[in-house]
Amino acid sequence: NPPPYPLTLHFPPNVFRQANVTAFQKIIGSIRDATEEAKVRKGDDAGLRILELYGGVGTIGLNLLDYASKFTSSDENPYNLEAFNKSVHMLPKKVSRKAEYVKKSAEGMVEGGYLSRNEYDICILDPPRKGCNPSVLSALCSKSQTSLKTLVYVSCGFDAFVRDCDELEKKGGWKLVKGEGHVLFPGADAIETFAVFQR
């Protein structure tokens, strides 16, 4: 289920990239399926308003633009913006015009009000091994956040994921509806967890 537009991602040496890009494509396929389901749940033809936190160069989110009316990616690494823009400028105009990048950490996005404006339908999270920052979890659990109906969480730290999952369910009213484990490094005792939450 690849996107119906050509996408070239740029990874200069000073940005994060998945070591096993081929295996990660399976996770992106699962994320596309979850995003398509979120669009069906929304029930209109306008497209989804998608927010991506811990977005890197847009590795996940730029694969979802055919489902989006608006896509905002964010990350704190100052070198990501140029790589993101290179990828976006190579896209067809009808796709590229949906995408924007904010040079802020996930905590900075919370402080900037991006999670309290009720402007997004779905949030993509791909935090580092330590999991989500407490302020991010608090914002996602807020009952004043009414437009956000789907969370997609990709985790490389299972213990942190279990902790964050517990908080999202108990404090935020989120329901874990799907979970997958992906082996990106055969022979290692590490898995990448993909999960979908709805409320």
Side-chain angles (χ1 to χ4, degrees), residues 21-151:
V21 176
T22 303
F24 196 73
Q25 284 297 323
K26 293 179 181 178
I27 297 176
I28 289 177
S30 294
I31 294 170
R32 282 185 55 78
D33 290 344
T35 306
E36 183 174 13
E37 183 181 341
K39 191 171 185 298
V40 171
R41 284 182 76 217
K42 188 180 179 190
D44 62 41
D45 296 324
L48 294 169
R49 300 165 300 170
I50 302 174
L51 176 64
E52 181 178 40
L53 304 179
Y54 311 99
V57 300
T59 305
I60 296 173
L62 289 177
N63 279 278
L64 308 175
L65 294 177
D66 50 317
Y67 300 122
S69 60
K70 169 186 179 181
F71 166 61
T72 304
S73 186
S74 63
D75 200 284
E76 61 188 326
N77 183 341
Y79 299 104
N80 286 331
L81 178 61
E82 183 179 355
F84 179 89
N85 284 339
K86 280 185 179 179
S87 297
V88 168
H89 290 153
M90 295 175 71
L91 293 170
K93 280 280 189 274
K94 66 178 182 178
V95 177
S96 65
R97 68 187 180 200
K98 302 176 184 181
E100 67 171 350
Y101 199 90
V102 180
K103 268 198 301 187
K104 287 183 183 292
S105 65
E107 306 93 279
M109 294 295 282
V110 171
E111 291 165 6
Y114 284 84
L115 281 166
S116 59
R117 298 176 190 162
N118 286 309
E119 292 181 356
Y120 295 96
D121 306 299
I122 180 171
C123 183
I124 312 294
L125 303 161
D126 186 9
R129 192 170 300 277
K130 66 182 180 180
C132 289
N133 180 278
S135 67
V136 175
L137 284 174
S138 178
L140 291 171
C141 289
S142 171
K143 296 300 190 288
S144 65
Q145 172 52 263
T146 56
S147 67
L148 204 58
K149 301 298 184 186
T150 303
L151 297 180

